[in-house]
């Protein structure tokens, strides 16, 4: 019965990471002053995004290690 707990936790980590990164990207775009930096790929490599990338990666790794939903 407990074999579904870890995959659901993995899905939760991925969803929390994606939603958190979306809010962080909005903050980064609002704080960007120049127009040429707005569409820059440097927004994705901003140091504030790495914590969300770690959460998303941990969720995918956990999902892969359990084999997904049984």
């Amino acid at each position: 019965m407990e074999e579904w707990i870890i995959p659901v936790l993995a899905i939760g980590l991925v969803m929390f990471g994606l939603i958190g990164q979306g809010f962080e990207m909005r903050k980064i775009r609002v704080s960007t002053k120049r127009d040429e930096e707005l569409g820059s790929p440097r927004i994705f490599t901003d140091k504030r995004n790495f914590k969300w990338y770690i959460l998303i990666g941990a969720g995918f790794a956990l999902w892969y290690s359990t084999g997904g939903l049984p």
Side-chain angles (χ1 to χ4, degrees):
M1 184 69 180
E2 289 85 24
E3 62 265 359
W4 60 272
I5 294 173
I6 295 178
V8 169
L9 179 66
I11 292 171
L13 282 175
V14 170
M15 292 302 295
F16 183 70
L18 288 172
I19 291 170
Q21 192 218 7
F23 282 113
E24 195 72 49
M25 291 288 284
R26 184 177 60 161
K27 288 182 198 174
I28 292 170
R29 287 192 175 152
V30 166
S31 69
T32 301
K33 302 291 186 228
R34 295 184 302 195
D35 249 0
E36 60 268 5
E37 289 182 5
L38 192 57
S40 172
R42 285 184 280 160
I43 291 175
F44 291 100
T45 58
D46 192 277
K47 66 180 179 177
R48 293 180 277 182
N49 281 329
F50 287 122
K51 63 184 168 212
W52 303 113
Y53 293 150
I54 290 170
L55 273 177
I56 295 167
F60 280 134
L62 196 58
W63 176 267
Y64 181 74
S65 69
T66 60
L69 285 177

